[in-house]
Amino acid sequence: MQIYQPHPWPLTVEEAITIQEELRHQVITQDQFTQPVQYVAGVDMGFEADGTISRAAVAVLSFPDLQVVETSLAYRPTSFPYIPGFLSFREIPAVLDALEKVQTKPDIILCDGQGIAHPRRLGIASHLGVLLNIPTIGVAKSLLIGKHEELADTKGSWQPLINRGEIIGAVLRTRVGVKPVYVSSGHKISLPTAIDYVLRCTPKYRLPETTRVADKLASNR
């Protein structure tokens, strides 16, 4: 894949906030697909050597049958500390290295993290989407910000995730009897469309197949 990187990687939180405030205005939360979706991808991270080495994994699956087409791994020294709200600066550098190795360009990337459901509306999915200029979705396992109403225990049920009076995502039930996931637009995709694709990528388990495959690679399982 061709990678577009419009900013240097920061070393401080103050520099990171400046970048987030600049890039948040480039995020598009409407559907902008250039072709029918044929490939979906998941990205995930693992760490080695007490967190000093980042191990990024990318898994590209065919859509809608969700068969693995291509995977890649990349390693690089970890250059940013673990700080909630700034994970993209810790993880994206290695993710970009892994994506650069991929020959099959995905039409959508599902990220194990937040999209605009973020204090500055630029979680890892939004950040990555802006850098790549392709549709991305945040599918997080835990809540970062926002409140929601009680969720029915039915697959496909969802409630709006609200922060400061704004709908920033959805809490979505992907499987009966298990915890929900937190879906938000990353870039170039609307929330209803993001929910639809997440459900279509989770035929059996709680997490999308894209995330499950990438997680196994990143964790070396």
Side-chain angles (χ1 to χ4, degrees):
M1 284 183 61
Q2 183 177 359
I3 305 300
Y4 173 57
Q5 185 176 324
H7 65 75
W9 293 106
L11 298 177
T12 68
V13 168
E14 291 75 19
E15 292 172 347
I17 290 175
T18 298
I19 291 170
Q20 287 178 336
E21 292 292 350
E22 291 175 353
L23 294 187
R24 64 181 291 182
H25 301 293
Q26 299 180 33
V27 173
I28 298 168
T29 55
Q30 299 173 342
D31 295 332
Q32 289 194 2
F33 295 94
T34 57
Q35 62 184 31
V37 176
Q38 296 181 299
Y39 300 103
V40 291
V43 298
D44 206 352
M45 291 292 300
F47 294 91
E48 302 179 1
D50 294 325
T52 61
I53 301 297
S54 299
R55 174 189 176 104
V58 174
V60 182
L61 280 62
S62 56
F63 184 86
D65 58 337
L66 302 176
Q67 299 300 304
V68 178
V69 173
E70 187 178 356
T71 63
S72 71
L73 283 170
Y75 302 80
R76 72 152 57 196
T78 306
S79 59
F80 201 84
Y82 174 80
I83 305 173
F86 298 94
L87 294 188
S88 63
F89 298 100
R90 180 176 172 85
E91 298 185 358
I92 285 182
V95 167
L96 292 179
D97 291 344
L99 283 167
E100 204 163 18
K101 298 180 179 181
V102 169
Q103 300 300 310
T104 308
K105 182 180 178 181
D107 301 297
I108 302 176
I109 297 178
L110 288 79
C111 297
D112 180 22
Q114 311 291 344
I116 66 166
H118 179 276
R120 285 165 296 283
R121 306 298 187 255
L122 197 88
I124 187 170
S126 297
H127 196 161
L128 186 63
V130 169
L131 295 183
L132 298 174
N133 195 34
I134 65 173
T136 54
I137 303 171
V139 190
K141 295 188 286 288
S142 59
L143 179 68
L144 179 62
I145 61 169
K147 296 182 178 180
H148 60 85
E149 298 295 330
E150 186 175 350
L151 186 64
D153 192 19
T154 306
K155 177 169 179 162
S157 62
W158 65 278
Q159 289 287 342
L161 185 62
I162 300 173
N163 175 246
R164 301 197 297 264
E166 176 187 0
I167 296 176
I168 58 170
V171 52
L172 172 67
R173 186 81 67 190
T174 54
R175 186 181 179 193
V176 174
V178 299
K179 294 179 180 180
V181 296
Y182 299 87
V183 177
S184 55
S185 301
H187 184 54
K188 288 192 167 185
I189 194 165
S190 66
L191 181 59
T193 302
I195 292 170
D196 177 56
Y197 276 104
V198 171
L199 287 171
R200 293 168 74 181
C201 289
T202 52
K204 196 173 180 182
Y205 299 100
R206 178 193 178 207
L207 298 176
E209 289 301 299
T210 46
T211 300
R212 284 168 42 78
V213 176
D215 174 69
K216 288 180 181 179
L217 290 167
S219 304
N220 197 24
R221 292 201 299 268

